Amino acid sequence: NDAAGQRENDSDHKIKLVELVPGTNQETYTLFFEVMPSITESRTVSYEAVTPAQAPGSFQKFKSTESTQWTVNATFISRTTHEATQNLEYLNRLRGWTMPYYGDVTGNQYPERLGAPPPVLVFSGYRNHMIGPVPVVISSLNWEFPKDVDYIPAQAPSGSELIPFPTVIQIGIQL
């Protein structure tokens, strides 16, 4: 039991995105970044210059602080078909998290969510208090299928065929 608890604690520093069942704290899907990504955190603070009449200068009056923005530059590495399949699943999950709930398949799987916007995710990493856990949405997602790496077979989501997936792929995520 202690060994299992230790393994769980060994991964709580990893960067992860989690989708929760709406209205609960139950996880429906967790995306772990197996290779530590580079993360940039930025904030914008707005002030208004106020110049009193006949004063030699102005002072700054606080207006607002914008939401924190994170840029996650991740690398997915695939050395085996299993890893390529997992990374393909992660990429497809990221794609899905940028789309609203619509269509026949979604209507059959999630009838209560049909028409809803993309999910709010929970972002965390480096253990608690460094990053999150904090609710986020994906505002931008980009990747390139590189031409200068090998491709390895990955199991298609349907499970019926193998499709090529890059052994190394860079993915940029704005949260």
Side-chain angles (χ1 to χ4, degrees):
N1 193 13
D2 288 337
Q6 180 64 35
R7 277 194 306 272
E8 184 176 321
N9 290 337
D10 285 346
S11 68
D12 68 358
H13 70 283
K14 288 186 177 182
I15 307 302
K16 66 180 179 177
L17 283 170
V18 177
E19 180 181 3
L20 301 176
V21 174
T24 73
N25 283 332
Q26 182 181 359
E27 296 181 10
T28 60
Y29 194 84
T30 301
L31 189 154
F32 280 103
F33 294 92
E34 298 298 336
V35 175
M36 190 63 76
S38 67
I39 298 175
T40 303
E41 179 179 339
S42 62
R43 298 177 184 201
T44 303
V45 182
S46 299
Y47 290 89
E48 178 181 351
V50 177
T51 306
Q54 300 159 345
S58 61
F59 63 90
Q60 299 296 316
K61 178 182 142 195
F62 173 77
K63 287 178 66 175
S64 65
T65 301
E66 297 294 322
S67 297
T68 301
Q69 303 290 313
W70 282 279
T71 301
V72 178
N73 291 307
T75 302
F76 289 0
I77 296 176
S78 303
R79 296 165 292 198
T80 65
T81 295
H82 175 75
E83 288 177 343
T85 301
Q86 180 67 59
N87 288 333
L88 175 61
E89 185 178 327
Y90 281 168
L91 180 58
N92 285 335
R93 178 60 55 184
L94 286 165
R95 287 171 165 167
W97 283 340
T98 65
M99 302 298 291
Y101 290 92
Y102 69 96
D104 292 336
V105 174
T106 301
N108 291 335
Q109 285 183 316
Y110 309 102
E112 70 285 352
R113 290 183 171 174
L114 198 57
V120 174
L121 308 171
V122 177
F123 181 52
S124 62
Y126 305 120
R127 295 196 165 79
N128 287 340
H129 309 295
M130 182 63 84
I131 297 178
V134 61
V136 297
V137 293
I138 296 176
S139 59
S140 176
L141 175 66
N142 63 72
W143 66 95
E144 177 183 336
F145 291 106
K147 64 180 181 180
D148 57 349
V149 301
D150 289 331
Y151 281 67
I152 191 169
Q155 194 74 42
S158 64
S160 62
E161 62 182 319
L162 295 176
I163 58 173
F165 194 81
T167 54
V168 179
I169 187 170
Q170 304 292 324
I171 299 175
I173 308 164
Q174 297 283 329
L175 304 170

